[in-house]
Amino acid sequence: MIQIIGILTFLLSLLIMLITNIMSKKSINEREKKSPFECGFDPKTSARMPFSLQFFLIAVIFLIFDVEITLLLPLILTMKITSMMVFFLISSLFIMILIMGLYHEWNQGALNWNI
């Protein structure tokens, strides 16, 4: 009895999914769906404006280095816990990694702003 109820439930849910899939077919090439919406009026200009990839790269590099600088702040608290030699070694290593990353970005040409 439980198997029959399980099979009937499965078939009923499959039937409902098929019916909703068939009824919800919409035309892919509708003009109104593809155009941007501006308060019910046709747009004056194109909504697809060219985006500066160079600006995006600079913004991402800024965010990466900004997060890394926030990782430097807890190093000040470790100065009281560890010896000065360990603190100097850890902070020098971290800053060296930052400088190597900056050099890599500079060498790859990501920091050149060509208009």
Side-chain angles (χ1 to χ4, degrees), residues 20-73:
T20 56
N21 194 16
I22 291 170
M23 291 177 64
S24 68
K25 291 289 183 191
K26 294 192 167 92
S27 175
I28 296 172
N29 297 327
E30 291 183 15
R31 181 182 170 270
E32 294 298 323
K33 294 284 183 187
K34 288 184 175 181
S35 67
F37 182 73
E38 288 186 8
C39 301
F41 298 105
D42 288 331
K44 293 182 180 180
T45 60
S46 173
R48 308 273 183 225
M49 297 185 67
F51 185 73
S52 172
L53 185 62
Q54 203 66 26
F55 176 76
F56 177 73
L57 285 174
I58 296 290
V60 167
I61 290 169
F62 171 75
L63 286 175
I64 288 170
F65 282 107
D66 193 39
V67 168
E68 289 175 351
I69 293 216
T70 58
L71 292 175
L72 274 173
L73 292 176

Side-chain angles (χ1 to χ4, degrees), residues 84-110:
M84 198 55 121
M85 184 66 178
V86 173
F87 171 75
F88 181 72
L89 182 68
I90 291 174
S91 60
S92 297
L93 181 69
F94 193 78
I95 291 174
M96 190 57 99
I97 291 172
L98 285 177
I99 290 172
M100 286 177 10
L102 181 63
Y103 175 74
H104 176 71
E105 294 295 331
W106 192 356
N107 197 20
Q108 293 294 319

Side-chain angles (χ1 to χ4, degrees), residues 5-15 17:
I5 293 174
I7 291 172
L8 285 176
T9 306
F10 176 74
L11 290 176
L12 182 64
S13 63
L14 185 67
L15 181 69
M17 285 191 293

